[in-house]
Amino acid sequence: MRITKIEKICKTPTLTQIAFGIGDIDSNPNFFKIMEYCRNNSYCYVVPNVTINGYRLTDEYADKLSELCGAVSVSMYDPKDTCYDAVKKLTDRGMDQINIHRLVSHETYDACMEVMHDTKDDPRLAKLNAIVFLALKPKGERNSFHKLGTDKYKDLIDYALDNKIRVGFDSCSAPMFLKSVKDRDNFKFLEQNSEPCESYLFSFYVNVEGKTTPCSFLEDMGYEEIDIAKCDNFVKDIWRAKPVQEFRKKLLATADSCSINGKGCRFCPEYDIY
């Protein structure tokens, strides 16, 4: 995304976070310049966050991340050492908001359990903030995984909470999480710290071309894209745009018919996640 497009977003006074997803840390030669702009420009001054995969994370890159980012998430792939080494490299630099992103599926269940065990025994994870479990979205020709199901998901959450392991989850997972903890004495507290899908309610996704869709998994799904570069006023031209308002109504309507938790819990209107 060109910096001029970021400036279009930054001019709204309600912006509180910009979260970048880059994968390979060296895939965009202007990446750190963009983050410097976010942090230091008077239009913006938002501390950026980023998700990386841990590959080729040199000391120089780690220094820049610790200087510019508020939080870094490391996506976990095989081998796990790549992820764990990246976590240690960043926490060694004093960063205290370092998370691991771990996809949850039938095929990755054992790996999800393993990383929780490792938080107790592997010194590289001693200062890890949390493991963030990501719900499987059935999209893409290469996707050969299968959804875990709410019963097995509950086993994950029960193990984490019973063993005081710090975990989080993406908003797509909120209905499964709430079902998993509904019988716990502190359910109200856990519910208050859970956020179901918020796409186009108080967040939105921008792709590398500066075009918005409700979330990254809804690209190429028939939703009208809005080009930020062609908009003069963010609130008027984007936040109140017709396609945004239409999706917003569609998402809010899901709260009336949640098959997992009953009325009141938003869920994905597009994918069968649960």
Side-chain angles (χ1 to χ4, degrees):
M1 187 198 307
R2 292 187 178 90
I3 284 178
T4 53
K5 294 182 180 180
I6 290 181
E7 187 174 295
K8 296 273 189 177
I9 305 171
C10 290
K11 287 183 178 180
T12 178
T14 56
L15 180 69
T16 61
Q17 178 182 181
I18 297 177
F20 293 98
I22 194 170
D24 292 333
I25 192 67
D26 53 2
S27 61
N28 187 328
N30 295 313
F31 176 59
F32 289 110
K33 291 181 180 178
I34 294 172
M35 289 204 296
E36 287 171 355
Y37 179 91
C38 290
R39 185 157 187 144
N40 300 321
N41 191 279
S42 59
Y43 277 121
C44 197
Y45 196 68
V46 171
V47 177
N49 302 325
V50 66
T51 300
I52 62 175
N53 58 25
Y55 294 106
R56 298 187 298 283
L57 181 63
T58 64
D59 287 340
E60 180 183 2
Y61 288 144
D63 288 340
K64 292 294 289 183
L65 289 175
S66 65
E67 174 190 345
L68 295 170
C69 290
V72 177
S73 292
V74 185
S75 298
M76 187 175 176
Y77 301 100
D78 294 327
K80 66 182 182 182
D81 287 340
T82 300
C83 174
Y84 292 3
D85 289 345
V87 169
K88 185 177 188 302
K89 188 168 285 192
L90 293 168
T91 56
D92 281 352
R93 284 161 170 76
M95 298 192 75
D96 56 8
Q97 293 293 322
I98 306 300
N99 300 318
I100 287 177
H101 280 185
R102 175 74 259 190
L103 175 69
V104 176
S105 70
H106 175 75
E107 289 79 7
T108 63
Y109 176 81
D110 290 341
C112 291
M113 292 298 296
E114 182 179 11
V115 68
M116 287 196 288
H117 293 153
D118 288 345
T119 61
K120 297 181 177 183
D121 304 323
D122 195 312
R124 293 173 293 181
L125 305 184
K127 297 180 181 179
L128 178 72
N129 179 54
I131 304 164
V132 179
F133 291 130
L134 307 180
L136 175 69
K137 271 69 75 175
K139 181 178 181 179
E141 295 180 357
R142 295 184 299 169
N143 176 30
S144 59
F145 293 155
H146 302 83
K147 58 186 178 182
L148 182 63
T150 54
D151 290 341
K152 293 288 284 184
Y153 187 85
K154 184 178 185 304
D155 291 341
L156 284 178
I157 299 303
D158 283 345
Y159 182 85
L161 297 180
D162 292 343
N163 290 276
K164 295 181 172 54
I165 298 170
R166 294 168 65 93
V167 295
F169 50 90
D170 56 355
S171 60
C172 315
S173 305
M176 289 191 294
F177 176 81
L178 292 173
K179 182 178 181 180
S180 298
V181 300
K182 65 182 179 64
D183 295 325
R184 288 184 173 264
D185 293 338
N186 62 340
F187 171 73
K188 287 297 182 183
F189 171 79
L190 295 171
E191 183 183 34
Q192 290 172 358
N193 285 275
S194 304
E195 189 64 65
C197 179
E198 80 297 327
S199 297
Y200 274 173
L201 295 179
F202 42 90
S203 72
F204 68 100
Y205 168 76
V206 183
N207 66 16
V208 294
E209 297 176 344
K211 296 178 181 179
T212 72
T213 52
C215 79
S216 60
F217 291 95
L218 294 184
E219 280 193 281
D220 304 318
M221 294 291 290
Y223 289 95
E224 182 178 343
E225 297 178 339
I226 304 173
D227 191 337
I228 291 176
K230 296 180 179 179
C231 297
D232 295 321
N233 183 290
F234 175 83
V235 174
K236 177 183 177 181
D237 298 333
I238 299 176
W239 200 246
R240 295 177 181 168
K242 184 177 179 180
V244 173
Q245 294 194 58
E246 288 176 347
F247 181 85
R248 196 172 288 152
K249 292 177 181 178
K250 184 177 182 179
L251 177 58
L252 290 172
T254 66
D256 294 330
S257 59
C258 182
S259 61
I260 297 178
N261 294 295
K263 189 172 183 178
C265 183
R266 302 185 300 273
F267 62 94
C268 180
E270 193 68 49
Y271 292 109
D272 180 13
I273 295 174
Y274 319 112

